[in-house]
Amino acid sequence: MTPSQKRERLAMSRPLEGATGKTGTWRVFRPVVDKETCNACGLCATYCPDGVISDDLEIDLTYCKGCGICANECPKKAIAMVREEK
Amino acid sequence: MDTIAEIPKEEYVLKCSSACAGCSDSLALRYVLKAAGPDTVLVIPACCTSVIQGIYPNTAFNVPVYNIAFGAAAACASGMSNAFRAAGKKTNVIVYAGDGGTLDIGIQAMSGAFERGTDFLYICYDNEAYGNTGMQRSGATPLGAKTTTTPTGKTDFKKDIDGIIAAHNPPYMATAAAAYPQDLFKKVQKALSFRGPSFIHVLAPCPPGWRYSTEKTVEMGKLAVKSGIWVLYEREYGKLTMGAQSKVAMKKPIPLEDYLSPQGRFKGIDPKNVEILKQRIQKNFAKLSAEEAAS
Ligand SMILES: Cc1ncc(C[n+]2csc(CCOP(=O)(O)OP(=O)(O)O)c2C)c(N)n1
Ligand code: SF4
Ligand code: SF4
Ligand code: SF4
Ligand SMILES: [Mg+2]
């Protein structure tokens, strides 16, 4: 057994998107951005705890947990939290 | 306020951790890792941050992480830092630990590492209780807060861990809050520029633990600073500088009740305790501003 194969026997996890599952399924309310009102200040992306808002301010709904921080912090009140249909 | 543009776009927590919706721990960690960059190892004792990484053999964290026993983080980081430096590597060694792992069980290993001058950064994200095991009180829980082990409100004060760290005279120490990510980012960068031990204490409001709704996490951190119950400052070779937001709060604090009342953990708090907390806010401001004036 080579040293690197031996090391593989350690409990070592590897980075992977979706390592904790598709957290978007947790959502009760979904953030919906009104592009007309949004001034692209980027504060929603700054404060999103999970970093699911991209540079071009698209929200990745596969992972967005629906916490509502983006809506609460938006200075233009451009984000509405809309109840998910089950 | 700094422009957001100077903060790297790279995310070192891949979408996404399994932290509760609206978690400050994950918000703060985003900016800690943006400031530290890829040549970093995190040392994490048992806490929420150990479980939110994901399930073996996968992890959401895209930097090396050493998960270690609850009381041992700073001891592990000491050995790791010495080994890196002996190998001529500048790799950042960062302990990212909860308040229980810092103020309570990890304190002796941490004190030892600060005394030995270990070249590392110790970050305590403070959600003011043992979050991962269901919100038992810790040394960081404030007076009057309900936890599962203080069902009628804590009868002791929050431990002054910053005073304890200051007594070790580290080159750099600071307080920060997840609600002010640009400020946190700058402080982490600064802390890592010093050789020797540095410490950052980050206020990390926790929606299920503090019993407020998830969208209020950033708001809660800002209310803590504006009411003065949390003071932003840094101490560089003993010279204290209070943050601009806290200077405003010292002159004209918002009512403490604005911070307490949205939180279920303070529901029904004895008004006498509210008065005591207010007096302590004033005393703390007086102490810090006297130190700032003298240094
Ligand atoms: C020696 C030992 N005692 C108890 C535990 C159980 N335990 C795991 S995490 C934790 C609470 C950690 O609290 P804190 O450090 O504040 O981090 P948080 O969970 O709040 O993020 C406890 C009690 C443990 N893992 N090891
Ligand atoms: S915070 Fe509001 S205004 Fe700013 S980019 Fe986000 S949605 Fe647009
Ligand atoms: S609801 Fe929460 S998780 Fe979803 S985009 Fe807004 S801040 Fe991010
Ligand atoms: S319990 Fe609190 S600190 Fe822990 S993951 Fe949930 S929100 Fe974050
Ligand atoms: Mg804690």
Side-chain angles (χ1 to χ4, degrees):
Chain A
M1 198 180 279
T2 67
S4 75
Q5 280 171 323
K6 265 189 203 151
R7 270 198 297 276
E8 285 301 306
R9 295 169 69 91
L10 288 172
M12 186 163 76
S13 292
R14 298 192 182 279
L16 184 74
E17 184 174 304
T20 74
K22 296 199 160 79
T23 49
T25 57
W26 301 5
R27 234 177 13 251
V28 181
F29 293 94
R30 173 169 33 109
V32 178
V33 185
D34 174 5
K35 301 262 178 188
E36 296 294 303
T37 320
C38 166
N39 68 1
C41 69
L43 279 177
C44 50
T46 299
Y47 290 121
C48 173
D50 290 297
V52 305
I53 308 181
S54 68
D55 289 346
D56 43 14
L57 303 171
E58 290 300 326
I59 298 176
D60 187 342
L61 290 172
T62 309
Y63 295 106
C64 161
K65 296 170 183 170
C67 67
I69 291 176
C70 52
N72 200 56
E73 297 309 317
C74 172
K76 304 293 286 181
K77 294 279 162 256
I79 305 180
M81 296 304 290
V82 178
R83 188 174 279 278
E84 291 283 358
E85 307 288 337
K86 283 288 153 185
Chain B
M1 188 60 73
D2 318 283
T3 55
I4 294 157
E6 71 186 62
I7 296 183
K9 295 190 189 308
E10 281 79 16
E11 298 289 345
Y12 297 95
V13 179
L14 305 178
K15 289 183 276 190
C16 63
S17 84
S18 61
C20 313
C23 172
S24 287
D25 166 3
S26 46
L27 175 58
L29 187 58
R30 275 185 71 204
Y31 289 90
V32 167
L33 291 176
K34 281 171 184 281
D39 190 15
T40 298
V41 177
L42 289 179
V43 179
I44 301 179
C47 59
C48 284
T49 318
S50 10
V51 297
I52 68 175
Q53 293 164 28
I55 297 168
Y56 177 80
N58 301 319
T59 172
F61 289 16
N62 204 6
V63 292
V65 174
Y66 200 113
N67 287 300
I68 187 100
F70 206 3
C76 169
S78 268
M80 202 182 267
S81 169
N82 283 357
F84 279 131
R85 301 304 171 257
K89 290 187 179 171
K90 287 188 170 148
T91 307
N92 301 312
V93 177
I94 302 181
V95 171
Y96 192 75
D99 49 293
T102 303
L103 283 77
D104 300 336
I105 193 167
I107 195 168
Q108 62 93 6
M110 182 176 65
S111 175
F114 276 77
E115 186 254 329
R116 288 189 301 273
T118 294
D119 186 22
F120 80 141
L121 167 59
Y122 193 112
I123 297 177
C124 171
Y125 68 93
D126 187 357
N127 60 7
E128 303 193 317
Y130 293 92
N132 181 39
T133 43
M135 278 335 237
Q136 295 81 18
R137 64 87 95 182
S138 78
T141 306
L143 178 75
K146 287 183 192 139
T147 64
T148 48
T149 47
T150 54
T152 55
K154 193 185 179 196
T155 51
D156 308 297
F157 292 114
K158 184 180 176 85
K159 191 192 282 186
D160 179 13
I161 191 67
D162 305 307
I164 294 170
I165 294 289
H168 292 73
N169 290 312
Y172 182 80
M173 63 178 289
T175 57
Y180 297 90
Q182 290 93 341
D183 179 65
L184 171 63
F185 174 88
K186 274 209 322 196
K187 285 170 173 166
V188 172
Q189 276 202 328
K190 197 163 180 183
L192 291 171
S193 74
F194 287 87
R195 214 187 149 87
S198 47
F199 181 78
I200 303 180
H201 189 183
V202 185
L203 183 70
C206 162
W210 296 15
R211 303 183 211 168
Y212 64 82
S213 52
T214 55
E215 78 280 2
K216 290 199 163 71
T217 284
V218 169
E219 191 181 321
M220 215 50 68
K222 289 185 175 168
L223 290 171
V225 170
K226 287 177 181 166
S227 65
I229 199 162
W230 191 257
V231 183
L232 298 174
Y233 65 85
E234 48 187 347
R235 204 183 265 114
E236 204 176 317
Y237 294 116
K239 186 183 177 337
L240 185 133
T241 312
M242 210 187 286
Q245 302 92 338
S246 288
K247 281 196 171 138
V248 173
M250 183 167 67
K251 291 206 184 81
K252 208 173 180 302
I254 61 157
L256 181 62
E257 288 81 355
D258 292 0
Y259 170 70
L260 302 178
S261 60
Q263 300 180 48
R265 65 177 176 156
F266 290 116
K267 195 160 185 253
I269 184 175
D270 186 339
K272 273 190 240 135
N273 281 341
V274 178
E275 276 319 302
I276 294 171
L277 287 172
K278 284 183 181 173
Q279 284 165 14
R280 286 175 72 93
I281 288 173
Q282 289 311 313
K283 269 195 188 154
N284 191 37
F285 269 137
K287 193 180 93 187
L288 291 171
S289 60
E291 185 187 331
E292 185 172 30
S295 67

